[in-house]
Amino acid sequence: MIGSRDDALYAALSSEVQGEVRFDPASRGIYSTDAGPYQIIPDGVVIPRDAEDVKTTLRVCREHGVPITARGGGTSQAGQTVGRGIQLDFSKYMRAVLEVDADRRRVRVQPGIVVAELNEELAPLGLELPLDLSTANRATIGGMIANNSSGTRSVLYGMTVDYVESLEVLLADGSVAEFEPVTAQEFRARATRPGAEGTWYRTVAELTEELGDEIRFRFPRVFRRVGGYSLDAFVLDANGRPLPLAADRHHPTLRPVQPEDRPLNLCRLIAGSEGTLGLILSATLRLTPLPRARVLGVAQFATLRDALSATSEILRHGPSAVEVMDRPLLEMTAGKPEFEPLRDFIVGDPGAILIIEFIGDSAHVLQERLEGVADALRGHDPGAAFHRALDPASQARVWKLRKAGLGLSMSQTGDTKGVSFVEDTAVHPGDLPDYIDAFQEILARHQARAVFYAHASVGLMHVRPAIDMKTEEGVARFESIASDVADLVLRFGGSLSAEHGDGMTRSPFQERMYGAELYEGFRRLKKALDPDGILNPGKIVDPAPLASNLRYGPNYLTNVLPTVFSFDDFGGISRAAEQCGGVGACRKAVTGTMCPSYMATRDEADNTRGRATALRLAISGQLGPGGLTDPGLFPVMDLCVECKACKTECPTGVDMARMKSEFLYHYQYAHGASLRTRMLARGEAVARWDHRLPWFTGAAVHSGVARSALETWVGIDARRALPRAARETFVQWASRNPAVARWSGGGVFRKRVPESADLAIFPDTFTNFYEPRHPRALTRIALAVGRRPLLPPRVCCGRPLISKGFLKQARRQAERVARVYAPLAEAGMPIVFSEPGCYSAVRDDHPDLVRPAYQDRSRAVAEAAVTGEEWAAEAVASSGPELQPAADGEFLVHGHCHQKALVGMGPAESLLRTIPGAAVRVLDTACCGMAGSFGYEKEHYDVSVRMAERRLLPAIRNAEPGTTVVAPGFSCRHQINDLAAVGARSTLEVVADHLP
């Protein structure tokens, strides 16, 4: 608590709110930032369960004089969701679909639902909300309305406001209003009503009548405008009819709107108001049919100006999207595991590309239109490449590359990073070439680099200058560029806020953009509708100075901490935590692996962004004196399963698995480790005893008494069956197999690597002691393709030690691996793993864990390491033999998280497809929930099950008879067996069973 006022506020909220009330330092810190450059630590956080909780929170805050900032996904880039007082998070519980009317194409939802998840529910009905933001997999409907968001296809589909039929809104006085379309006559009648709702209608009517001429003159005449308050939607002509809006245009999928027919709807005032006028309790939205056909083309240009100059010609063909990416942004995608495979359509080194899409009913007609664009562009550059993507899979690959722009433009390591503050300007598309030339002159004058990308179709370019905000010079550059760009936008008659809103970055320029008279009208509107200034103050009107409340600044402390892991690739662990830009890609829950615990809990503290923010604040001393040993950090880090998905799926490259291990090391050094943690960290020693004392292991696995004792004394959940050691280990089996070469290893007395061996099989702890059939299957495959396997000395990689934070002991294991296996790597021999978790330890963790004297050897071993699927897929494809055909039924494949993060599922799928007639379906699942020892721990059991229930278990239950469940990971197989009573098999085992 901060003081007596906060004590009283906390007591009042926690006693009346049914949802969650959090005033602890870590939670307040986690909600102190969004995807913009600002930070304000709130007094507390309320996570409401329903509308009654929202009403209660507003009442209590009014009584205590505390402001409220509403928050959806927290992905705002202008600081809209940053504020003092109470943060009101709608996204955890208030995300239900309340009603669907498929016949009328309407849906009513709570404000916290994510648009991609809404569309997933609507897809079986053939309907969608066609607002395809790059953040659609985590943007909430409430946040989209508050920002009046749009997206890639706005030239066809319009903006969020075009789909809002009605809103249930909690007004500042605590009353609830239903805003809906009304005629001008009805609007005037409602202005006579008493109370707050009448004040809304009356104030808008008075202001638009008084300021009509100024509104007509000052509001930007571009389609993409979300700045200020949308009073232009309520200006009437001399005959009392609504005047045309920039958005009153004929979209093929929207009802053509004539000005005299357009109703007046206060939803248009709420849209884009950033939560400063009211709180949305529910929204009724208009839907559109799913498109029947899409085609896509990618045109390459020598320069960015050439691409922008071609946009007007393309727009004459009626595309649904025209997106631009410049050379510097394309270069950022090169070499990254997530994006390099998507670049196969790029020819050479273009200065820019345009992604051109058409949507309609007939694929044939759309292809003709696409060819018309291709013919037209040959006049601009006859030699330019033009790629056609006509099927959904290839189109999705292109769009995935384009949607990476937000994160990549902020992904630089170090203190100089792309900053969102002039990233949201729009001009007429025909003015783009000259406008961007002038924009580049501003950047050159200030010696700032930036990438250019986004929506050329509507004249909107996202530009994030790279600035070191930790210096006085950087902050001064930030202010100067912002001011110069505001003047430039005015000169071109454009909009400073085109889709990301005003927030704290553009509100300081409102008076410059709209003039003193209209700006005062905005202030009067805010005062009339929120007299006490309780709703998100300081946004749109009366803002703090531009450089106030910065996340970083000249006084920001980047502490240098000694670490066991190396974080040199980031510039230390402080900068590793600072790598999170707040874009919130870890909040997605529809596809991908990151962040599995968030997918289960929907709690902001349980995603990569929440953890990185808490770590950054702790390391910089903003949570208190504890630093990395602060007890408040432990619950934030606890549910991180170290899946490594953020290494691939986080667009800014946050490595949370490494940071969690380092945190655990420091935390346990200060506070000690539990018996269970110490036992699970020493997985190799436990496995050895399991093998030596199988009678004890059997009792632990099958005896209810023994399992209850383990739960009571150690904390291993009694509902879990511990794995049983095999009678014969893989090493024992391989040692007596004459077909397997033996080698006594490297180290001080290096033995010559046998020239007759072709690959080294890494005998990891898990498969060696518990499931030797998997490395045995790898051995059978190797022999079948004419390769002789080699058995090196068994050295545990230390995966459990790393996961549990015992990094000094893990370092010793990593250095042993480097000593023993370096001769094999230097001899050019692949080191093949049948367990993905151990592969990831050697490949990804060891080089950053060993001391400098071992780094060269560790890197060599890491480069020689391959998964069994990688090696076998290539060997079987190149050397045969012809495998036996698959039986009826498909192979249902669940990938190990580390496998997906470091290698991808391509090799496993390719290997299974070498089986003639194989039907292979790779599941889009996140973590299975077992995550090494995570799922065995009593306090994690329920979350572990929820992770599995998200996609994995339903897919297994719904599988057809004869389906084979394939899971390359040891812990994944045990989770599947525990919760689905299905014996999953490894990829290697399945293929070995089909050998002739």
Side-chain angles (χ1 to χ4, degrees), residues 926-943:
C927 178
C928 70
M930 188 64 87
S933 62
F934 177 88
Y936 289 100
E937 300 173 31
K938 182 179 179 181
E939 65 272 24
H940 296 154
Y941 180 84
D942 290 340
V943 173

Side-chain angles (χ1 to χ4, degrees), residues 895-950:
H896 186 283
C897 292
H898 294 184
Q899 178 184 23
K900 288 185 280 190
L902 301 180
V903 179
M905 292 305 295
E909 183 175 3
S910 297
L911 179 59
L912 288 170
R913 291 192 184 280
T914 60
I915 302 172
V920 182
R921 179 157 62 103
V922 179
L923 296 174
D924 182 9
T925 47
C927 178
C928 70
M930 188 64 87
S933 62
F934 177 88
Y936 289 100
E937 300 173 31
K938 182 179 179 181
E939 65 272 24
H940 296 154
Y941 180 84
D942 290 340
V943 173
S944 171
V945 172
R946 284 157 66 186
M947 288 184 190
E949 287 288 358
R950 174 182 164 267

Side-chain angles (χ1 to χ4, degrees), residues 697-752:
T697 301
V701 170
H702 296 291
S703 166
V705 173
R707 284 158 70 170
S708 295
L710 276 174
E711 179 172 290
T712 301
W713 298 337
V714 182
I716 301 296
D717 197 285
R719 289 166 286 187
R720 291 293 188 187
L722 297 178
R724 176 182 289 184
R727 290 180 179 272
E728 182 181 44
T729 68
F730 170 70
V731 169
Q732 290 170 336
W733 175 85
S735 297
R736 62 179 179 80
N737 189 331
V740 178
R742 297 296 306 276
W743 180 64
S744 56
V748 178
F749 302 104
R750 293 196 179 190
K751 303 293 184 180
R752 185 176 179 181

